[in-house]
Amino acid sequence: MIEFSRFIMDNGLRVLVQEDFSTPIVAMNILYDVGSKDESEELTGLAHLFEHLMFSGSKNIKDFDTPIQQAGGECNAFTNSDITNFYITIPVENIEIAFWLESDRMKSLSFSKRALNIQKKVVIEEFKETTLNEPYGDVWHHISEMAYKKHPYRWPTIGIDPSHISKVTLEDIKHFFAQHYCPNNAIMVVSGPIKEQDIKALCIKWFGEIHSGTIPIRKFEIDKKSIEERKTLVSNVPSNAIYMAFNMPERLHADYYTYDLISDILSNGRSARLFQRLVKERPLFSFIDAYLYGSIDPGIFVIEGRIHENINIEAAENAIWEELEKLKSTLIDDDELHKLQNQVESTLMFSENGVQNKATNLAFFELIGDANLINSESELYKNVSKEDIQRVANEMFKRENVSVLTYLKKDS
């Protein structure tokens, strides 16, 4: 049981405090409720660019990393479609350094053409390395636009095209920052050997004078998929590959945990169904996986596989459908279900080890409306029945609910 307390500052900053005196290390996690879904289609990749810009210095701090390293700490960040998340781990005696750093960039991030141009070059180079020059690197550009027609999930976090980053101006950056990187659009979690009253005092000292912002109201249209979509690419890839993306409900949907268990049934380890039957017994694939994104809005469930040489792609896809039909037509047995639920429980326990993991998880659960999910998720997985799995499999694994992307190896 992870216990925590919660308070909200006058400027809207939500703060959770998780006391853990088993470690000398404290973690500060600041989650901003902004991701690539908050961009315009004409200027994508801004949230990811900001992840980089937030380390470029602020009014009183020219180099974010050096003070952290000198204090014996570490820092990092990540961005996805829904959130931008920053975290610092540092010896507890130096915790005020983390407050100083995070408050200064929230209050007065530096906006200079030089810093912007440097980070634009870094992000464009990352785009080239991970998307344009990496085998299968453009997969999410294609899958996203097939699975979504209305919702801004239709472009990946890194953006639609590097030209979008190239044309970002200083005014674009200032406008995006003012709309999203403010205390009433953020959640702070502090986990470690600390007391709530001490954290509250530090919050007032360092964040109390930062003004609230005016956050845009989101008005997303939700896609309702009703037709199969297919796309084939001929590319410089090491082997033919298939990606099958099935549309699924949002993170807080009652069936989310059933969808997640289905991904484990299909691909959690070497004993999972797809590996056993399509890699080991019938060597159609060299690699196969199934997973879902816990996106806040309606997401996708993906099956991807690398196909062996001389295996017909249509036959490989049909073999996947055969396994999905078995899941739809036949209840899994009790042993298989209980094994999976026990594995999930172990994984959740492991994910809650360490102050940084707890801080990051608490911030996300607070964002979606219930920080106590950190304590109840295991039970929610245990409540999934065999009948739930069969029902959801029948709802999801339909031809009209799939987007199929295939890569064909270019002839040398």
Side-chain angles (χ1 to χ4, degrees):
M1 183 76 172
I2 297 174
E3 296 183 353
F4 58 90
S5 57
R6 179 180 183 272
F7 61 89
I8 302 175
M9 298 184 63
D10 291 342
N11 58 16
L13 178 65
R14 284 181 274 172
V15 183
L16 279 68
V17 181
Q18 194 275 315
E19 299 180 10
D20 181 353
F21 288 87
S22 67
T23 172
I25 301 297
V26 66
M28 173 190 279
N29 192 97
I30 295 188
L31 180 154
Y32 289 95
D33 186 9
V34 55
S36 58
K37 70 182 181 184
D38 297 294
E39 303 159 351
S40 69
E41 191 169 10
E42 294 73 35
L43 203 62
T44 61
L46 268 179
H48 177 241
L49 175 61
F50 250 100
E51 178 193 325
H52 290 260
L53 283 170
M54 292 284 272
F55 289 94
S56 293
S58 52
K59 182 178 180 180
N60 301 300
I61 302 150
K62 303 305 178 186
D63 176 11
F64 194 90
D65 289 337
T66 300
I68 292 288
Q69 293 167 358
Q70 290 175 340
E74 296 179 347
C75 61
N76 214 327
F78 64 85
T79 308
N80 59 34
S81 298
D82 295 313
I83 65 171
T84 305
N85 194 82
F86 299 89
Y87 54 90
I88 296 171
T89 54
I90 198 166
V92 67
E93 60 267 24
N94 295 327
I95 187 174
E96 195 158 4
I97 292 173
F99 275 84
W100 167 56
L101 292 167
E102 289 291 8
S103 64
D104 205 61
R105 65 177 172 183
M106 182 186 287
K107 182 179 182 180
S108 50
L109 188 70
S110 291
F111 296 108
S112 70
K113 287 185 178 180
R114 180 178 179 275
L116 175 58
N117 289 334
I118 289 172
Q119 296 307 322
K120 282 165 68 171
K121 290 178 181 178
V122 171
V123 170
I124 290 170
E125 188 58 33
E126 181 181 344
F127 194 110
K128 291 176 181 177
E129 289 181 5
T130 62
T131 302
L132 302 181
N133 300 327
E134 180 78 16
Y136 319 106
D138 59 352
V139 60
W140 300 117
H141 283 74
H142 301 288
I143 286 290
S144 298
E145 69 178 11
M146 286 195 289
Y148 300 98
K149 303 303 178 187
K150 300 176 181 178
H151 194 283
Y153 284 168
R154 64 184 181 274
W155 58 80
T157 303
I158 202 164
I160 292 175
D161 190 271
S163 65
H164 287 203
I165 296 302
S166 296
K167 66 183 180 183
V168 171
T169 68
L170 210 54
E171 289 306 310
D172 294 327
I173 290 299
K174 291 179 180 179
H175 179 68
F176 198 75
F177 181 82
Q179 286 189 313
H180 301 290
Y181 298 84
C182 45
N184 51 320
N185 202 42
I187 297 167
M188 176 196 294
V189 180
V190 184
S191 177
I194 37 80
K195 290 288 187 180
E196 180 185 1
Q197 62 266 28
D198 297 327
I199 297 304
K200 188 173 289 188
L202 287 169
C203 284
I204 293 169
K205 177 180 178 180
W206 291 102
F207 289 87
E209 295 183 358
I210 304 177
H211 297 298
S212 302
T214 302
I215 304 164
I217 297 173
R218 291 172 173 145
K219 295 179 181 178
F220 299 145
E221 290 190 70
I222 302 300
D223 294 80
K224 294 191 180 298
K225 192 170 180 63
S226 60
I227 187 171
E228 177 185 86
E229 295 209 30
R230 308 185 74 89
K231 182 183 287 188
T232 299
L233 304 173
V234 179
S235 183
N236 289 317
V237 293
S239 63
N240 294 340
I242 185 168
Y243 290 79
M244 302 168 67
F246 298 87
N247 286 51
M248 61 169 282
E250 67 277 4
R251 179 62 176 80
L252 286 177
H253 192 278
D255 286 326
Y256 172 80
Y257 299 97
T258 305
Y259 281 90
D260 200 20
L261 277 179
I262 289 173
S263 73
D264 288 345
I265 292 168
L266 294 174
S267 72
N268 188 6
R270 298 174 68 87
S271 62
R273 292 188 178 194
L274 292 181
F275 180 87
Q276 278 293 314
R277 295 167 185 173
L278 304 185
V279 175
K280 191 173 180 181
E281 296 174 12
R282 301 169 62 190
L284 302 174
F285 295 86
S286 60
F287 162 85
I288 195 163
D289 196 11
Y291 49 90
L292 54 86
Y293 288 94
S295 51
I296 292 175
D297 297 328
I300 53 175
F301 183 111
V302 179
I303 299 173
E304 65 167 289
R306 308 282 187 270
I307 303 169
H308 276 306
E309 290 280 352
N310 303 319
I311 297 296
N312 179 273
I313 290 181
E314 184 178 353
E317 181 183 344
N318 287 338
I320 293 174
W321 278 109
E322 287 174 18
E323 295 305 319
L324 301 183
E325 291 299 330
K326 291 175 185 175
L327 200 56
K328 291 164 64 175
S329 61
T330 307
L331 288 172
I332 70 169
D333 60 44
D334 291 330
D335 289 343
E336 185 177 10
L337 177 58
H338 294 154
K339 177 184 175 183
L340 288 166
Q341 290 169 329
N342 290 336
Q343 287 174 342
V344 167
E345 185 175 16
S346 297
T347 300
L348 288 173
M349 290 178 63
F350 180 78
S351 72
E352 293 162 4
N353 287 336
V355 289
Q356 189 257 301
N357 285 342
K358 284 185 282 191
T360 301
N361 289 339
L362 278 168
F364 179 74
F365 289 139
E366 174 70 13
L367 175 68
I368 63 175
D370 185 6
N372 272 306
L373 275 172
I374 199 167
N375 294 313
S376 60
E377 276 207 310
S378 179
E379 196 64 30
L380 292 170
Y381 281 104
K382 286 181 180 178
N383 289 339
V384 174
S385 69
K386 297 181 295 183
E387 290 76 17
D388 289 330
I389 289 169
Q390 186 178 45
R391 172 180 55 80
V392 168
N394 276 278
E395 291 172 0
M396 175 171 51
F397 296 133
K398 298 183 289 189
R399 300 277 178 170
E400 62 269 25
N401 190 44
V402 71
S403 302
V404 181
L405 174 67
T406 53
Y407 283 88
L408 298 182
K409 183 179 178 181
K410 186 181 291 186
D411 292 334
S412 57

